[in-house]
Amino acid sequence: MIKRVRVAVVGVGNNTSALVQGIALHGRTGSLVGVRRPIIDGLGVGDVDIVAAFATSAEKIGRDLTEAIFLPPNNFPRLDCDLPTANVPVTRGLVDAGGVDRIAAELAGAEVLLYSAPSGRPETVRAYAEAACRAGVAFINTTSDALARDPDWLTRFEAAGLPLLGDDLASQFGTSVVHNALLRLLAERGLTLTSSYQVNLGGTEDFRNLVENPNTKARSKLNALSAADDKVQVAPLGYLSQLRSQKVAHLNIEAQGWAETAVSLDVKLTVHDPSGAAGVTIDLVRLAASALRDGRGGYLAEAASLLKSPPGAAI
């Protein structure tokens, strides 16, 4: 019998809502629409249980997880799925390094700690990583704050036999993935890049936070564009509340072909940003759990395509 993956989540925002609802939808319908890898080391999409949740919002603390994911400012839509009470109360999360021992104790029974709080809080990321080490669980950093890129943290997780996956998600079909693919295609076909840029607009609280704390995200986006050079620019993120959980991206590529003739490409991409995160997270948690059970610590090479800034990327 398959041992189900037990996951604790930090952050009860839109990404967690998309993950929880998506797992429930799969359980009700068996649908594999939008699923990249139905089975990873014997673990299916539905073999994941959320067993603990941490948040700092007073409105969410004490609520059942399946209730808290629909509270404002969350705006990911309700999916057509049966979502019974999870019996997982949201507990008070960390705002600094104090309380690490409490979090470690509350991780008892979990295998993976999924850090899905807003970017721009490096001290908090490190505090939860410390709790994961003390509790003996794998850690996934979905934010652009550097943790897996920090050699000291990576060495520590490797020595403890605990997987450390990060940093920052490469969304299932997001701007960076599409932009990078187009730039690589350009080079493969022998065209010469003249200039390129991307603009991202969104309406989630994650976007609002990243507008206020843009530095690590801008670096992470450039890390994801492996074919990029100084001709590629990433515009500052823009927050528009009316977009809700949707992200709208605009890409432009200017190039030259044979005999220096002009080539111009403009692309508009519209996606639900939390779905793009959950479609990647569902694979990361299964990879992390499988590696933990095998005693493989540190970074997992098989996770590279799911991350924007893995170890070795610029900070």
Side-chain angles (χ1 to χ4, degrees), residues 265-288:
L265 175 66
D266 286 285
V267 177
K268 177 184 177 183
L269 173 68
T270 302
V271 295
H272 278 278
D273 211 31
S275 287
V280 170
T281 301
I282 192 63
D283 289 357
L284 286 173
V285 296
R286 291 180 291 164
L287 288 171

Side-chain angles (χ1 to χ4, degrees), residues 15 75-77 170-178 199-204 207 221 243-250 267-277:
N15 291 356
N75 53 22
F76 185 73
S171 184
Q172 190 174 23
F173 197 74
T175 318
S176 297
V177 169
V178 174
V199 178
N200 294 273
L201 305 171
T204 66
F207 255 86
K221 276 187 165 292
L243 290 177
R244 298 182 65 78
S245 71
Q246 287 190 314
K247 175 172 71 176
V248 178
H250 298 272
V267 177
K268 177 184 177 183
L269 173 68
T270 302
V271 295
H272 278 278
D273 211 31
S275 287

Side-chain angles (χ1 to χ4, degrees), residues 21-33 35 79-82:
Q21 291 192 75
I23 292 172
L25 181 65
H26 169 80
R28 182 176 71 82
T29 67
S31 172
L32 294 176
V33 173
V35 175
L79 304 181
D80 182 19
C81 60
D82 181 19

Side-chain angles (χ1 to χ4, degrees), residues 43 86 102 109 115 127 193 200 207 212 230 257 262 302:
L43 297 169
R102 173 178 63 83
Y115 186 83
L193 178 68
N200 294 273
F207 255 86
E212 298 171 356
D230 58 4
E302 57 266 40

Side-chain angles (χ1 to χ4, degrees), residues 134-148:
R134 296 183 189 183
V137 305
F139 191 81
I140 299 172
N141 177 30
T142 72
T143 77
S144 55
D145 296 317
L147 187 80

Side-chain angles (χ1 to χ4, degrees), residues 115 117-130 139-154 157 164-169 210 213-221 223 307-315:
Y115 186 83
S119 294
R121 303 173 184 175
E123 297 84 2
T124 308
V125 176
R126 291 192 287 268
Y128 277 106
E130 177 65 34
F139 191 81
I140 299 172
N141 177 30
T142 72
T143 77
S144 55
D145 296 317
L147 187 80
R149 283 169 287 169
D150 184 325
D152 292 338
W153 278 106
L154 192 59
F157 271 79
L164 173 60
L165 301 183
D167 299 314
D168 205 3
L169 300 178
L210 288 168
N213 302 282
N215 292 339
T216 59
K217 192 66 175 181
R219 177 68 265 171
S220 191
K221 276 187 165 292
N223 287 343
L307 300 164
K308 282 193 179 80
S309 295
I315 297 177

